[in-house]
Amino acid sequence: MRNPGLIERYREFMPVSDKTCIVSLCEGSTPMVPAYKLSAAIHPRLEIWLKYEGLNPTGSFKDRGMTMAITKAVEDGFKAVMCASTGNTSASAAAYAARAGIRCAVLIPEGKIAMGKLSQAMIHGAKVVQIRGNFDDALKLVRDVCERHPIALVNSVNPYRIEGQKSGAFEILDDFEGEAPDFQSMPVGNAGNITAYWKGYKEYLAAGRSRSLPIMLGFQAAGSAPIVLGHAIDNPQTFATAIRIGNPASWKQAEAARDESGGVIGMVTDHQIKEAYKLLAATEGIFCEPASAASVAGLQKLSDNGYFNDKTPRVGSKLRVVCILTGHGLKDPDNAIKAAEAPMTVDAEEGAILDAIGLCETVAV
Ligand code: F0G
């Protein structure tokens, strides 16, 4: 069946009426990929599923919130939208604004957004402004501008973004026929997504569409871990630029999701993120962007610390975990090329090629 987009799919949970003109690119309904080898590598008791959000129309989970935010901006009469971004929000805002026929401006930290994301914002015709500052500086500026001018703010401080993004939790619960996974693991940056998922899980339970709640596990990069450290970071650092954020707007809501679910917000080093990023690509055939791999790096860290040893599965014999792979690996080709073996160049003849690939003994027919 054709995917109608998540507002249509979950209309009864979304703030729309019969008159609302929905702006959609048929987002959502992303695959849940079972990860057998990854599960065995991390902990024998885990059953890991990968929610592949990179398969949304602009390649990240941001499309879930953006279909809703742009739909409401148009309904409320706005002719322009604006956001601060580490890259993915700007790509999504630019695409949905183009589809709606309204204008879009994005503020990004100079030199700190991945090439794929920048190219998206540009090709969709957004006004792209780089600032000499970080994401937190950009968000403050955008909030000020949108307060004083008739421009809709489409960062996740816009409540419609959270309404759209909560659909990710609905899909997981539908895929598991109403039983929440034991754990959900995800990266945390500005903390809108963990807020949205937790809201979604609670709403479905309250509506009688599910029977249980997961334990929420969120992971920040060690150089950008304000929630873990308990204070804002002035100069956040990490190669996972999507989550290079020092003062998350939804800080309190993220702590609430952690505490209400009995979960953890932890931090993982760039090295741990890189290892998980490569492991996902090499063992499961799943290419996500570095920030997304923090969800898997975090599981590995918890497992190494014995976290799962005393946990009891809700159903069956394995602890079911869903990792939210928030963005596609193609967003950030530079980091992929840096992390992998360089291509070889040889003469255009068979002998040289056979020598170079070195596969002939192992795959001889
Ligand atoms: N993963 C990816 C790929 C992201 O782009 C982001 C956030 C996150 C995780 C963290 O989500 O902020 O809701 O906690 N990207 C934002 C942006 C900040 O501007 O694209 P969060």
Side-chain angles (χ1 to χ4, degrees):
M1 199 183 76
R2 189 183 85 85
N3 170 13
L6 63 88
I7 297 179
E8 272 308 336
R9 180 170 176 191
Y10 294 111
R11 188 176 254 279
E12 63 195 282
F13 294 94
M14 296 294 162
V16 289
S17 72
D18 292 346
K19 294 194 191 67
T20 307
C21 179
I22 294 170
V23 182
S24 170
L25 286 164
C26 305
E27 57 293 308
S29 302
T30 54
M32 281 259 272
V33 183
Y36 306 111
K37 284 187 275 183
L38 191 68
S39 305
I42 293 184
H43 196 289
R45 295 184 62 219
L46 294 188
E47 176 192 299
I48 299 175
W49 295 76
L50 306 170
K51 181 122 177 98
Y52 201 4
E53 289 288 276
L55 296 191
N56 275 298
T58 77
S60 87
F61 74 96
K62 302 289 180 178
D63 297 342
R64 294 185 181 277
M66 210 52 75
T67 181
M68 198 66 250
I70 299 289
T71 291
K72 294 306 276 192
V74 170
E75 187 168 70
D76 294 341
F78 285 99
K79 300 280 185 286
V81 298
M82 194 167 175
C83 66
S85 184
T86 57
N88 281 323
T89 301
S90 63
S92 187
Y96 283 81
R99 186 146 177 100
I102 61 175
R103 295 172 65 193
C104 176
V106 306
L107 237 60
I108 55 173
E110 185 186 25
K112 297 290 185 189
I113 89 165
M115 201 54 73
K117 306 174 189 183
L118 181 61
S119 70
Q120 289 177 288
M122 290 165 65
I123 197 73
H124 290 303
K127 291 278 181 214
V128 180
V129 183
Q130 309 196 59
I131 62 157
R132 293 182 198 97
N134 59 34
F135 170 85
D136 305 287
D137 303 323
L139 182 57
K140 191 176 173 310
L141 284 162
V142 171
R143 284 175 120 155
D144 289 347
V145 170
C146 291
E147 219 162 80
R148 292 198 206 102
H149 302 275
I151 305 173
L153 174 70
V154 293
N155 279 104
S156 61
V157 292
N158 175 334
Y160 296 126
R161 281 276 311 276
I162 303 296
E163 292 304 301
Q165 281 175 215
K166 72 187 180 187
S167 61
F170 299 165
E171 289 176 15
I172 291 170
L173 292 166
D174 284 345
D175 283 348
F176 289 140
E177 292 167 348
E179 200 68 70
D182 294 294
F183 301 93
Q184 176 179 304
S185 185
M186 66 199 304
V188 175
N190 210 26
N193 210 27
I194 191 167
T195 303
Y197 267 93
W198 187 235
K199 185 171 198 283
Y201 281 119
K202 289 194 294 185
E203 274 185 24
Y204 235 41
L205 184 70
R209 298 272 285 261
S210 64
R211 296 181 292 284
S212 47
L213 295 167
I215 292 171
M216 301 291 282
L217 309 174
F219 295 97
Q220 303 192 292
S224 307
I227 301 177
V228 182
L229 300 175
H231 58 82
I233 309 286
D234 284 341
N235 188 15
Q237 294 299 341
T238 169
F239 88 116
T241 50
I243 51 172
R244 187 174 164 269
I245 294 176
N247 191 10
S250 300
W251 187 320
K252 288 214 161 55
Q253 295 90 322
E255 288 181 336
R258 175 195 64 193
D259 298 342
E260 288 169 32
S261 74
V264 173
I265 295 184
M267 61 182 179
V268 279
T269 64
D270 278 9
H271 176 73
Q272 289 168 326
I273 295 174
K274 211 169 286 175
E275 289 303 304
Y277 171 64
K278 291 197 284 189
L279 189 67
L280 276 162
T283 65
E284 295 292 356
I286 299 274
F287 188 23
C288 64
E289 66 172 283
S292 308
S295 61
V296 172
L299 284 188
Q300 181 73 63
K301 184 175 174 183
L302 291 182
S303 171
D304 291 347
N305 292 341
Y307 177 82
F308 297 110
N309 295 346
D310 63 347
K311 301 287 188 291
T312 313
R314 189 178 292 114
V315 288
S317 59
K318 298 267 181 164
L319 293 163
R320 188 175 269 178
V321 190
V322 175
C323 290
I324 313 297
L325 298 186
T326 46
H328 202 288
L330 288 172
K331 290 276 192 173
D332 193 352
D334 295 336
N335 266 318
I337 288 168
K338 269 190 231 154
E341 197 182 313
M344 295 167 282
T345 305
V346 300
D347 289 337
E349 48 123 314
E350 190 176 327
I353 290 161
L354 293 179
D355 276 351
I357 61 179
L359 293 177
C360 300
E361 295 83 45
T362 47
V363 295
V365 281

